[in-house]
Amino acid sequence: MKNASKWLNKIQWDEHGLVPVIAQQVDTNDVLMFAWMNRDALEKTVESGEAVYWSRSRKKLWHKGEESGHVQIVREIRLDCDSDVVLLKVEQVEDIACHTGRHSCFFQKLNTEEAEWQAVDAVLKEPDDMYK
């Protein structure tokens, strides 16, 4: 990409060299997941056209869907007004973004009467069937 360092330098990276990223389904605007990227992950995302994140737990790049096959095809990349949050508009392959086999990672809703979190979205594919 032309002038890669210029557009990357506009981003307000945190003290660990990371930026928060929200993945949103391009056609429905459903929020699918939240993750982190470093410069390398964002560059690889732009180069490949598929979402690549930084795994803080594994301390390495994570190509979304590398094990499950549920990749995210990036259709658009946006930066918020403070230049410190990235929004990916994606096409989610097989409609499963969460490692639990659900459409979105945000499947738990607070039941204020019971003061507990409840799963409100169905499992589309069992995790054991995704990660063999």
Side-chain angles (χ1 to χ4, degrees), residues 106-119:
F106 297 95
F107 62 87
Q108 297 178 89
K109 181 178 176 182
L110 181 62
N111 178 328
T112 54
E113 291 178 15
E114 301 292 325
E116 62 183 32
W117 295 99
Q118 296 177 333

Side-chain angles (χ1 to χ4, degrees), residues 59-83:
K59 304 216 181 321
K60 68 175 193 164
L61 292 179
W62 158 47
H63 181 185
K64 176 68 175 156
E66 64 191 7
E67 294 177 19
S68 68
H70 302 135
V71 299
Q72 293 175 339
I73 302 165
V74 177
R75 299 297 182 204
E76 190 175 310
I77 302 174
R78 293 187 180 211
L79 187 62
D80 82 325
C81 58
D82 295 322
S83 300

Side-chain angles (χ1 to χ4, degrees), residues 5 9 16 39 52 61 72 91 103 114 128-129 132:
S5 63
N9 289 340
H16 305 290
R39 289 175 75 97
V52 177
L61 292 179
Q72 293 175 339
E91 180 182 324
H103 170 63
E114 301 292 325
D128 289 344
D129 295 335
K132 288 186 176 185

Side-chain angles (χ1 to χ4, degrees), residues 35-105:
W36 296 91
M37 283 185 174
N38 61 12
R39 289 175 75 97
D40 197 26
L42 187 50
E43 282 181 300
K44 288 190 183 319
T45 295
V46 169
E47 289 169 8
S48 70
E50 294 183 353
V52 177
Y53 300 104
W54 175 255
S55 171
R56 293 180 304 159
S57 60
R58 292 179 266 171
K59 304 216 181 321
K60 68 175 193 164
L61 292 179
W62 158 47
H63 181 185
K64 176 68 175 156
E66 64 191 7
E67 294 177 19
S68 68
H70 302 135
V71 299
Q72 293 175 339
I73 302 165
V74 177
R75 299 297 182 204
E76 190 175 310
I77 302 174
R78 293 187 180 211
L79 187 62
D80 82 325
C81 58
D82 295 322
S83 300
D84 63 358
V85 178
V86 171
L87 174 68
L88 297 183
K89 296 254 188 176
V90 302
E91 180 182 324
Q92 180 63 60
V93 172
E94 290 190 31
D95 209 29
I96 298 173
C98 186
H99 73 279
T100 65
R102 291 175 172 89
H103 170 63
S104 169
C105 292

